[in-house]
Amino acid sequence: MTSLTGHSTRRRRLGATAAAFGLLATLLAAGPAAAVPDPGEPPAKSGKASEQDRTAAGTAARSGKTPAVDEIVHSRNISHLANLPKGDLKSFNTDLAFQGRYAFAGNYDGFTVYDISRPKSPRIVSQVLCPGSQNDISVSGDLLFLSTDSSRSDDSCSSTAQPATEKSSWEGIKVFDISDKRNPRYVSSVETACGSHTHTLMPERKNVYVYVSSYFPDETFPDCKPPHDGISIVKVPRRAPEKASVVDFPVLFPDGGNPGPPENPSAMVPTTGCHDLTVFPKLRLAAGACMGDGILMDVSDPAAPRVVDRVQDNENFAFWHSATFSENGRKVVFTDELGGGAGATCNAEVGDKRGANGIYHITGRGDQRELVFKSYFKIPRHQADTENCVAHNGSLIPVRGRDIMVQAWYQGGVSVWEFTDSTRPREIGYFERGPLADPEAIGGSWSAYYYNGHIYSNDIQKGFDVLKIRDRRTAGAERVRLGELNAQTQPDYR
């Protein structure tokens, strides 16, 4: 799902500040946002990509130069169909989820519901102000889930920042009813240990199990003391979401997790929990990206996941961030969020093995399954030293017989790449903007996912982008249609 892990060591101070950025005094507990835009801020509007960015396609890449400030460039097989500015939610844009003709976009200030029935002209249906870092988002049926990973005065949407050292502070999962997309209704909340940095849905007919990932415990935090070597499992009854509750906290690392290489303790972040999990419900598998560890889990019993294998890469992985299965579930792509999303790590100095993806094959059966490393992949386009860039959130482009993924790289843009041959991955398309005008600003694509024929990207600063890829290698995906997509609950496309 999501992260600015570079800020997370101080997340209970900075996360709360970022969540409140741009908010005015009036906050709504539910319903469409009624916030007033900041003075001078243009109203949100949709529209096709400009002729300038279409004609710029590939120019910077062919010349080998960094694009100009805010210049849009892309490969010839990618079209930029639309951009929709953020509207009334002014803070960082985060993750995306999809259902029917709607996209749901997280923002540190709340979330936005978009109508994407006409991808060239998306429109805002509603916006809900509900501050909390980082408002990681997912949907299932009539329910929408938000992660709060910053200490708040209470669980309401009018809460204020409050130190995690205070026992009364709250952070965790919020649940909304989205049966009326124009008027989402806040129905319940569940406090979880160390909050909820991200969450992953394991949906069933009667209940939705929510795997909550969080980390960085501290002895001074009453509700987040070490050790914190597992995940919270929240059970949400579909017909009574107000009865949602924590049902377990399975310990995934009885030995305490990866402490980091003693000879170079600054090379990676030690394991104190998990950052993100991806489940493959059809195969009853889950892959966990847990700071210093990558894990494979059996989730045959959704309320009692079991670790069956665990891998580490102390040489090149600094922070195991997220995971994506191949279509047949025999491979896992893990991402390394070197620099926590705030660092400029897509340059020649860092190289092509750090801040990259690691491709692993799953071998064996049952509890004998193992993760076997094959290769790294990193975008081949070096970014400016002012651009935060690293491997981040993506999803499969479902093509039978091929392994193709679309992925966000912050200011590195959106990359489409193939790993059918796991030892020789390669980029086959891209879209990116040049550096932000403010060299100190954090920006770029937080999440980029393929959904029903188009690529949707949530840009931290620039808003909601719609892309189209036209390439013989991805053409087979055009026939695939889903009713719902949470990228961390991987569908069976077969």
Side-chain angles (χ1 to χ4, degrees):
M1 287 187 180
T2 51
S3 175
L4 282 175
T5 18
H7 295 319
S8 291
T9 53
R10 296 169 293 162
R11 64 189 173 90
R12 285 167 168 74
R13 295 196 300 272
L14 297 185
T17 301
F21 175 78
L23 279 180
L24 297 181
T26 302
L27 299 174
L28 298 184
V36 179
D38 289 340
E41 184 73 20
K45 61 181 183 296
S46 62
K48 295 182 179 180
S50 69
E51 184 64 29
Q52 179 181 2
D53 88 61
R54 284 198 225 90
T55 56
T59 302
R62 289 195 302 273
S63 68
K65 297 179 181 178
T66 300
V69 170
D70 289 338
E71 178 187 9
I72 291 177
V73 297
H74 50 84
S75 56
R76 292 190 178 278
N77 57 356
I78 300 280
S79 300
H80 186 206
L81 301 185
N83 171 262
L84 198 57
K86 288 189 286 190
D88 292 335
L89 304 183
K90 303 303 182 186
S91 195
F92 293 165
N93 274 344
T94 59
D95 207 15
L96 292 169
F98 304 88
Q99 185 182 87
R101 62 188 178 95
Y102 299 99
F104 304 83
N107 179 287
Y108 274 54
D109 283 350
F111 67 91
T112 300
V113 181
Y114 295 101
D115 184 331
I116 55 171
S117 56
R118 299 175 60 196
K120 291 184 180 180
S121 302
R123 63 182 183 87
I124 293 175
V125 176
S126 59
Q127 292 190 291
V128 174
L129 288 174
C130 197
S133 167
Q134 49 195 10
N135 279 334
D136 195 36
I137 193 167
S138 59
V139 295
S140 183
D142 287 338
L143 300 179
L144 178 147
F145 304 85
L146 281 184
S147 282
T148 301
D149 191 36
S150 56
S151 297
R152 313 296 300 176
S153 56
D154 55 53
D155 64 349
S156 74
C157 284
S158 57
S159 67
T160 57
Q162 182 168 290
T165 52
E166 294 189 23
K167 177 62 178 173
S168 63
S169 294
W170 183 93
E171 49 188 324
I173 288 286
K174 293 170 182 169
V175 184
F176 289 77
D177 183 318
I178 53 168
S179 53
D180 181 356
K181 305 298 187 295
R182 296 169 298 177
N183 188 30
R185 183 172 59 89
Y186 184 16
V187 294
S188 65
S189 69
V190 180
E191 186 170 14
T192 55
C194 296
S196 175
H197 192 70
T198 67
H199 67 268
T200 300
L201 302 188
M202 186 70 173
E204 295 195 323
R205 187 171 61 86
K206 293 183 178 181
N207 304 296
V208 181
Y209 287 93
V210 185
Y211 295 160
V212 177
S213 297
S214 54
Y215 51 95
F216 283 140
D218 191 286
E219 288 289 356
T220 66
F221 300 156
D223 299 318
C224 182
K225 290 180 178 289
H228 183 74
D229 299 318
I231 57 173
S232 297
I233 300 180
V234 176
K235 181 181 178 181
V236 185
R238 290 190 183 276
R239 294 189 177 183
E242 68 279 2
K243 295 181 179 179
S245 63
V246 175
V247 294
D248 201 3
F249 186 88
V251 174
L252 306 180
F253 304 99
D255 64 352
N258 190 349
E263 69 281 1
N264 188 9
S266 64
M268 59 156 288
V269 181
T271 300
T272 58
C274 287
H275 179 277
D276 212 342
L277 305 176
T278 294
V279 296
F280 200 144
K282 180 72 174 182
L283 300 181
R284 296 288 170 173
L285 278 179
C290 302
M291 304 179 74
D293 295 88
I295 59 176
L296 186 68
M297 294 193 292
D298 184 313
V299 290
S300 299
D301 180 352
R306 297 184 303 106
V307 176
V308 296
D309 194 33
R310 171 180 165 190
V311 290
Q312 299 174 349
D313 182 350
N314 290 345
E315 181 178 357
N316 289 313
F317 260 50
F319 191 95
W320 295 70
H321 174 273
S322 53
T324 301
F325 286 97
S326 62
E327 187 174 355
N328 62 11
R330 296 175 185 170
K331 302 178 184 178
V332 182
V333 174
F334 288 103
T335 66
D336 170 26
E337 198 187 37
L338 172 69
T345 70
C346 296
N347 52 31
E349 180 181 359
V350 173
D352 60 1
K353 293 181 180 179
R354 304 190 69 228
N357 297 321
I359 304 168
Y360 287 75
H361 282 195
I362 301 173
T363 64
R365 294 184 178 182
D367 287 354
Q368 303 305 311
R369 284 173 288 197
E370 295 181 349
L371 292 163
V372 179
F373 174 77
K374 292 298 178 180
S375 69
Y376 299 103
F377 170 77
K378 192 171 183 180
I379 55 174
R381 295 163 286 109
H382 288 160
Q383 305 297 302
D385 289 338
T386 61
E387 293 181 281
N388 59 296
C389 174
V390 75
H392 213 234
N393 297 337
S395 73
L396 288 185
I397 297 181
V399 182
R400 186 184 297 273
R402 288 182 181 269
D403 296 317
I404 299 177
M405 186 173 172
V406 59
Q407 186 176 4
W409 291 76
Y410 291 116
Q411 286 197 68
V414 175
S415 175
V416 178
W417 62 286
E418 181 169 7
F419 59 104
T420 305
D421 180 346
S422 299
T423 63
R424 299 180 63 187
R426 58 175 181 157
E427 184 174 79
I428 62 176
Y430 70 90
F431 166 88
E432 69 166 289
R433 290 179 170 90
L436 294 170
D438 179 359
E440 300 298 320
I442 300 296
S445 178
W446 183 291
S447 298
Y449 301 137
Y450 184 91
Y451 178 70
N452 293 354
H454 291 83
I455 294 168
Y456 298 91
S457 167
N458 210 20
D459 189 286
I460 293 171
Q461 303 291 353
K462 302 298 184 180
F464 186 67
D465 287 305
V466 185
L467 311 175
K468 181 73 174 180
I469 182 166
R470 293 178 175 85
D471 191 290
R472 61 176 179 77
R473 291 163 289 192
T474 62
E478 292 285 341
R479 297 187 293 272
V480 177
R481 289 293 181 269
L482 299 174
E484 193 171 272
L485 176 66
N486 301 292
Q488 290 73 38
T489 305
Q490 198 156 316
D492 181 14
Y493 292 109
R494 293 173 293 171

